[in-house]
């Protein structure tokens, strides 16, 4: 429920790592540009959760999975007002895994494996979660 997982999570890519980063996370110059898994969040959410820019955070979803990443507190994300309720959003890249010079938790561990009935493509781009300081 939204009581347990009140935050909307979205996923994205980073330019420095192609797809999952399986190849590009082995290249020192690209790893230098994008060295580790991160979680972007608004200043408002960070303040509410006691998280500072650079802290390690834990993101957990209803699937029972959790991952860690470095907090990037940004003005790019702002809370939404939906039916009079404040809804926060976080964003994380899905470009990390267990191999390479830059290893990190896989963001897609948090997502649902439910596929669209027409295409069979799973929904990996948005889900509900909670975040806390590690």
């Amino acid at each position: 429920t939204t009581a347990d997982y009140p935050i909307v999570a979205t996923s994205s890519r980073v330019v420095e790592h192609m797809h999952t980063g399986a190849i590009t996370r082995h290249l020192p110059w690209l790893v230098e540009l994008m060295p580790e898994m991160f979680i972007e969040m608004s200043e408002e959410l960070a303040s509410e959760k006691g998280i500072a820019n650079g802290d390690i955070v834990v993101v957990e979803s209803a699937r029972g999975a959790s991952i860690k990443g470095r907090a990037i507190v940004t003005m790019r994300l702002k809370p939404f007002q939906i039916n009079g309720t404040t809804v926060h959003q976080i964003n994380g890249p899905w470009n990390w895994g267990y191999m390479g010079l830059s290893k990190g938790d896989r963001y897609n561990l948090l997502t649902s494996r439910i596929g669209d009935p027409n295409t069979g493509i799973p929904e990996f781009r948005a889900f509900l979660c909670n975040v806390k300081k590690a």
Side-chain angles (χ1 to χ4, degrees):
T1 67
T2 56
D4 296 326
Y5 304 100
I7 300 167
V8 174
T10 57
S11 65
S12 59
R13 300 176 188 230
V14 293
V15 172
E16 294 80 4
H17 297 302
M18 180 178 76
H19 297 294
T20 64
I23 297 170
T24 53
R25 284 183 288 102
H26 289 275
L27 303 172
W29 55 90
L30 292 176
V31 170
E32 184 179 357
L33 292 171
M34 192 56 63
E36 64 186 326
M37 177 63 174
F38 62 89
I39 305 298
E40 289 182 291
M41 66 184 67
S42 68
E43 295 170 320
E44 294 85 354
L45 178 60
S47 175
E48 189 176 297
K49 297 281 188 172
I51 297 169
N53 191 48
D55 284 349
I56 301 297
V57 296
V58 175
V59 180
E60 181 182 43
S61 75
R63 290 191 68 220
S66 65
I67 65 164
K68 290 183 180 177
R70 188 161 306 276
I72 295 181
V73 179
T74 178
M75 294 178 2
R76 291 182 342 133
L77 296 176
K78 293 289 184 190
F80 302 96
Q81 287 294 318
I82 300 175
N83 292 330
T85 302
T86 300
V87 178
H88 293 284
Q89 174 190 2
I90 64 168
N91 184 67
W94 59 274
N95 301 93
W96 268 267
Y98 61 92
M99 295 174 59
L101 298 173
S102 175
K103 298 173 182 71
D105 288 341
R106 293 174 292 152
Y107 203 67
N108 281 350
L109 290 174
L110 302 170
T111 63
S112 172
R113 299 281 187 225
I114 298 169
D116 177 274
N118 295 320
T119 65
I121 298 171
E123 173 54 74
F124 288 139
R125 299 294 168 247
F127 55 95
L128 293 177
C129 72
N130 206 346
V131 64
K132 64 183 177 183
K133 189 173 179 176

